[in-house]
Amino acid sequence: MARNRRDAADRSSGSADHMLRKLGTVSGLTLVSRILGFLRDVVLAATLGAGPVADAFMLAFRLPNHFRAILAEGAFNAAFLPTWAAADASRHDSSRLGAEVLGWLTLANLVLLALALGATGWMLAVLAPGLSPADETWPLVVTLTRITFPYLFCMSLVAFLSAMLNGRDRFAAPASAPILLNLFMIGALLMAAQFPSAAHAAAWGVMASGVAQVALLVVAAWRAGLPLPRPRLGLSPDTRQVFRRLGPAILTSGALQFAIFADTIIATFLPAGSLSHLYYADRLYQLPIGLIGVALGTVILPDIGRRAGLGDEVGMRRVLDRALVICLVVGVPVAVIMATLGDWAIRILFVRGAFDLAAAEASGAILAAYALGLVPALALRSLVAGFHGRGDTRTPLRLLVAATLVNIALKIVLAPMLGAVGLALATSVGITVYATLLYRENRVRGFLTGPAPIPAGALVATGVGLGLFVLWSRDAVLRAVENLTPGLALPVAFLMLMIAILAVQGSVSALVIGRRTIEKMGAPEE
């Protein structure tokens, strides 16, 4: 009877409405987190600006986050979540699997934490070669890194608990956890006078938020009726399967994060402030990726994992098809807004205190380069989920190697010529290459049908046309608004053009989706 209930729930979860409801839960809570994140960054920009002290904190903050993306989220989710979801849905009790994976995860984090705290200088010499002990900010970077690095351990536990909750279609608490990071950092920055510096305050806010996020998910797991396993170092067949999948997944996440971290490494050789300019541009760039790309990947990965355990190939293909249509419909207009109005958005959000117009212009140029690869970036998590949900962690690694080589080569070539903008442009090209290879392989294997070429081309062509029109008209719109709304001209002009872009592109999207729906009416189900 329990199995029948799970199968029925699984079949219903494949509906578009159910996917959109789950996506709405994750995206809505992610939006709250991102709004608070922008508020956090406003306080951070006004307090630290974009100088050497800000760069020191950005580096200390990025280090545990890069390791987290490799170990605690990307690779771990790819290997553990589908295995656990399939075991929980179709085979047997999954508590032993959870206990053994938690045991090995804890051991790995303790070893890494000991190395990071005991050899911080050596780690920085390897990961940030542009810095040296002779730099005046070196002691500050070392101190801040030792404060923030334990955050990685907390995030590993958060990833473990989130995977089990997501496997049971419980998305609210995992999506809420990042909100605590922003709240704790804002609170710490507001009490910066109680710390040696504002950078110290921000670092301790990061660390405290990690503990709070673990506590939140422990409570959520208890309320969901999930057993909280005691760590053990066993090797059951399911655990061995997780480890077999984990190796390629770590290499995949590692290669992707290395390409991202290459920005940090190369930026340490660029003029002061480059790392901070990248950070603030990346904050806006990551907003739609978090709301749509990551949220979709979070929703469909356990769904595909469950369906893989039940052999539902048709259902898996429908899930991935719907995800890609959402990425295309949402991504094109947002990419146009970022490419044409991103500098205005950064000026509106961050120009105050120590963050000046020059910093905003530099960050805006970087954001425009990031925007060129936004649509492929939105689709990445869903495209990878098509393989990871089936337990295939090798194919994304193989495809990523080629894309990473292109990415790193372009960074090395473009950074000396274009500075931080070259780094962002190389990132966009690398992401586009990776997404294209993933899409092609999914199509070849029959994992997706994909958006029809003509409607997809219509959406993209409309977006390009809108972008060219906005670039031609935006100064005229700003001058016209200045005569009507003194002091608020920039925000009003920004909102007017953004609404126009969304209205035009939304109308085209509605026509395209409506046409496809009419064409499919009456078609037999597969």
Side-chain angles (χ1 to χ4, degrees), residues 460-481:
V460 174
T462 305
V464 172
L466 276 173
L468 293 174
F469 174 77
V470 172
L471 286 174
W472 173 75
S473 65
R474 68 178 206 157
D475 289 339
V477 172
L478 180 58
R479 286 194 300 271
V481 173

